[in-house]
Amino acid sequence: PISMDDLANVAGCCRVHLTRLFKKHMGIHTRDWLIQLRMRHACMMLKTTNLPVHLIAEEVGFDDPYHFSTAFRRTVGQPPTKYRKMAKSDALDEEF
């Protein structure tokens, strides 16, 4: 888990300045970028592990599995369990 304050400390500036610079140069808010990064990692874990969703949520920085599932659905377009099921069946299709 990483917070906006952690990112600002690494960058050597305050949170507000980091947010402005990040948006200016990356075209996306730092919060949205961080959520996208977490969701990409969650997608990879859902595809490649059998860990329960609540443990994947913790691994990618969410304290609350419900909040993770809601954020995942909003970002990816489907719940994590459905994503895993589809990703695993797609992987099987690719093998044959």
Side-chain angles (χ1 to χ4, degrees):
I2 188 167
S3 70
M4 296 302 298
D5 291 330
D6 294 333
L7 289 174
N9 286 336
V10 169
C13 61
C14 72
R15 185 180 192 170
V16 173
H17 187 64
L18 173 66
T19 302
R20 284 189 200 130
L21 286 174
F22 201 92
K23 174 69 174 165
K24 180 180 175 184
H25 293 286
M26 300 295 289
I28 187 171
H29 289 283
T30 49
R31 181 190 71 243
D32 296 335
W33 174 82
L34 188 56
I35 289 171
Q36 288 179 5
L37 181 67
R38 288 177 172 165
M39 293 304 134
R40 279 194 298 266
H41 187 60
C43 286
M44 186 268 310
M45 292 183 74
L46 287 164
K47 288 179 189 178
T48 61
T49 74
N50 290 320
L51 287 173
V53 172
H54 74 277
L55 292 180
I56 292 174
E58 287 178 17
E59 180 69 25
V60 299
F62 284 84
D63 294 333
D64 179 9
Y66 178 77
H67 183 231
F68 166 73
S69 292
T70 301
F72 190 92
R73 188 176 314 115
R74 187 173 44 246
T75 304
V76 178
Q78 57 192 339
T81 51
K82 185 175 181 180
Y83 178 88
R84 171 180 268 163
K85 187 175 184 179
M86 290 178 66
K88 298 255 184 187
S89 68
D90 287 346
L92 289 175
D93 290 343
E94 290 174 5
E95 289 181 37
F96 297 102

